[in-house]
Amino acid sequence: MSELTRIPAPEGVAAAAQYSHVVLGTGRFVAIAGQLALDERGRLVGEGDPAAQARQVFENLRRCLAAAGATFDDVVKLTYFVTDMAHMPAVRAARAEHIPDDRLPAASAVQVAALVRPECLIEVEAFAVVAP
């Protein structure tokens, strides 16, 4: 695990409740491609269910991080792509199962018209810094 510094509210910037504005650290950079709610066989988990899809997305992120020798503690940035901002509470709930509030990464949330597979509601990509 790398030593990360989280700055939730830099001087002159309003504090954020659901993310840190700045996260910095020294180590090996890891980029995780956007993950969808697909199981190990490529089948959708939770058709029409944002909570089930969000849980699968975060499980896929966990597995990808592990493959790089990282954990959610090493994540410095998450980007959420959702087909409806109404899905964000489900995303935050799934995130909370993996990342405590005192270790929140920087984050961006973007509503998109569609994802690569039309039945997918949520996609999340991650960036991490792992100690050398």
Side-chain angles (χ1 to χ4, degrees), residues 12-126:
V13 177
Q18 298 294 324
Y19 59 92
S20 298
H21 280 287
V22 179
V23 181
L24 56 117
T26 303
R28 185 171 43 89
F29 180 75
V30 177
I32 306 296
Q35 296 298 302
L36 300 169
L38 303 177
D39 68 13
E40 60 276 0
R41 292 189 180 107
R43 295 178 303 208
L44 179 69
V45 172
E47 185 165 357
D49 182 348
Q53 287 197 22
R55 285 190 302 274
Q56 183 65 43
V57 164
F58 274 87
E59 177 58 20
N60 290 348
L61 287 169
R62 184 193 66 73
R63 291 174 178 169
C64 289
L65 287 164
T71 70
F72 279 105
D73 285 342
D74 302 310
V75 171
V76 296
K77 174 79 166 52
L78 292 171
T79 306
Y80 310 111
F81 302 96
V82 294
T83 57
D84 187 329
M85 280 296 170
H87 302 326
M88 285 306 297
V91 171
R92 285 191 288 273
R95 183 201 63 212
E97 293 176 16
H98 297 276
I99 304 172
D101 286 346
D102 65 340
R103 301 198 55 81
L104 292 174
S108 300
V110 181
Q111 182 171 322
V112 296
L115 295 168
V116 68
R117 289 188 48 175
E119 66 274 25
C120 292
L121 306 173
I122 299 161
E123 181 173 344
V124 181
E125 68 180 14

